[in-house]
Amino acid sequence: MLNLNQKPEPAPQSDQVIPMASDAEWKVLIFDSFGRDVISSVLRVNDLRENGVTVHMLLKNERQPIPDVPAIYFVEPNSENIRRISEDLSNHLYDSYYINFSSVIPRPLMEELAASTIPSGSSAQIQQVYDQYLNFICTEPNMFSLNDRQSYLALNDPTAPETAIEGSIDKAASALFSVLATMGVIPIIRCPRRGAAEMLAKKLDGRLRDHVMNSRNNLFSDSNTMNFQRPVLVILDRNMDLVPILSHSWTYQALVHDVMDMKLNEIVVQTDENGRTVKKKYDIEAKDFFWNKNASAPFPQVAEEIDSELTKYKKDAAVISQMSGVSSLDDVSQLDFSSGAKHLKTAITALPELTARKATLDMHMNIATGLLQGIKDRQLDTLFQMEESITKQTKANILEAINDPEKKVPEDKMRLFLIYYLSIQEDVSSDVMQEYEDALMKAGCDLAPLRYVKGIRAYTRMTNMTQQPPQSFGRPDYLLNRLGTIGNKLSDHLGSGGLGGGFENLLAGVKNFLPAKKDLPMTRIIESIMEPGGGANETNEDFLYFDPKVSRASNAKMPRTRTPFQEAIVFVVGGGNYVEYQNLNEYAQRQTIKKKITYGSTEVLNPKEFLQQLAALGKEQ
C-alpha cells in the first residue's frame, strides 16, 4: 500500500548502486484514527520514511495543500471519511490520490465518492481505489485484535437492542474474513453451541462460502486446498472462562499490560524525577531482541536476563574500546580515521549495533524498575501466589487479604475474590456471601462486577475449569525481600547509566517463585480439537463444525475430519489477554512437532478494563 499497491523493489546488493533519495517518489500518508492504529502497531516513523512517506496526518485535521506529491489514504469506509476525502479533492490538496479502505466499501459509498468528484472535475486525480482487508490490528506476529472497544459489554448488555448485537457480530465477521484473506486460508470452523460464538461462526461461514462460490476475484485462490493442510479456526466466548482475564500474572508482558499503560506496543512508564512525576513513552519494536526473548518469561527470570545482557554488552564494549584505543565508547566518534586502520573501521562499524543494544537494555531496565515498584506497592507477588493455589484458599485467607490495609488497590481485592468465587466448587451461602460483600465494601470495592459474575457463575458453573494443584512457594515476606534486592540492583544499574554491577545471588530463593506449568481451560479445548485422537474428545464432539468449502447441504452430511491440525486460529468474542496468548504459545512450542497457534480477540483487555465492563453490566441488574 505504501508503494502505491505495487511490489517494492528488492533491496540492492552490496555491489549495486543505491538510488539517490531524490530519485524516490515521496508521498503523503493520510489516515483516520483506526488506520493510524493499524499502521502504528507494526510500523514506526523510520519505516514510513524508508517507504517514501515524508508526512503523515489525520484525515480529520486541517491540512495545507501539497500540490506536487501523491497522497495515500488509509481509512475506514464510512460517510464521514468519504465526505472529507471529497473536500480534499475539491480543494486540490494533492497531485494524485491513492485511496485505500480498511475493509470492503459498500456500493452506495463508492457512488457517493464518484458523484462528489463531478462538480470539481477531480475524478482523473483518483489513481486507485483499493479494498485492503486490513480492518484488524497486529501487535505480535501471532496475535491480532479487532480493536472493538467495550465489546464484552456490547454483546452481554441485556438492554442492548438486537440490531446493536447483530452489528457487532457483522463487524467481527468482516474483520475475521479480512484476517483469513490476509493469511490466504479457508479454515475448518469450530465453536460451542449457542451464544455470540455460534452467531459469529455461522456469519463467517456464510461469508466465506459465498465468496468462494460466487466471487469473480477469489481472494483464496492461491490457498491450500488439501484438507490436512488447512488450519482450524476455533471461535470461543469470553464467558467460557473469566479467570485468566482477571488474574494477576507474573510474566513480563502480562505484568506490563496490567501494571502500566500499554496500548498498541507503546508503554508509558511513570518515574519520579526531582519530586515530580514524569511519564516516559517507549515503543516495543519488532526487532527488540530482549522483548522477543523474554515477553513470556517470569519476572525474576527477566531480571536475571537483564543482568546477563548487560554483562555481555560491557564485554563487547570493552573489546571495541580496546581496539580503538579509547577509554569509552563515547569517544569513538572523535577518533581520526584518516589512517585507515582496519581495527578502527571495525570499531566504527560495530558502534551503531552496540548503541542500539544499550538503548534497548536501558529501556527494559526502566520498565523493569517501574514494574518492581508496582509489584511492591500493590503486593502483586502475594496476590499471584494466592491465585496460583486459589482452590486451596480458605474463607479466612480470602477475608484476611481483603481486609489487609497493605493491599491498597480495591480493584486487586475484587479481582482476587472474583477468581476465588469462580474457581471453588461448593456453593457460597447467603450469610457467608454477605460477609464477603461487607469486607469488600469496607475495602472500597465496587460490588457491581460481583453482581454480574454471580449470574455468570449460576449459568455456566465454571467449576470444571478450576486450576490444577499448586506448586509449593516460599513465604511472601521473604519473597518480597528478594524483590527488594531486585529493586536495589535495578536502581544500581540505572544510577550508572544502565551499566552497573551484576545481580549476585539475585535469584537465590526466588526461583521457587515461578508460575506452575499448567494449561488453561482454553488451551485444553484447543488441544482436544487439534488432537482429535487424544484422550479428551468431549469438547471435540460437542463443538459445532463448519467447512466453508462445501455447500450447506453437503456440510451437514460430511464426516468430520479426524486428522490432527498443525495450525490453529483461536478467536475470543468479548476480549482477550496476554495470559491466554502466552499459555497457547507454550502448548504449541512443547509439542514434538511444533504447532502454530494464532490468537485473536475483539479487543485486548487488561484486568482493570475488563472489571470496568463487568461493573457496567452489574449496575444494570
Side-chain angles (χ1 to χ4, degrees), residues 348-395:
I348 202 65
T349 302
L351 186 59
E353 186 275 332
L354 281 174
T355 303
R357 201 198 316 175
K358 180 180 183 297
T360 298
L361 293 175
D362 284 348
M363 176 184 74
H364 286 286
M365 186 68 67
N366 279 294
I367 293 172
T369 304
L371 280 181
L372 182 68
Q373 190 61 48
I375 291 169
K376 292 165 66 176
D377 289 347
R378 294 167 55 183
Q379 293 198 357
L380 298 182
D381 58 322
T382 307
L383 292 167
F384 169 75
Q385 282 181 281
M386 293 186 69
E387 291 170 13
E388 281 283 277
S389 56
I390 197 66
T391 57
K392 301 296 184 182
Q393 300 300 326
T394 64
K395 170 188 170 184

Side-chain angles (χ1 to χ4, degrees), residues 13 30 37 59 117 135 141 179 265 341 365 429 450 501 515:
Q13 302 297 321
I30 312 295
D37 290 345
L59 177 64
T117 64
N135 49 329
V179 170
N265 289 339
M365 186 68 67
S429 67
L450 177 57

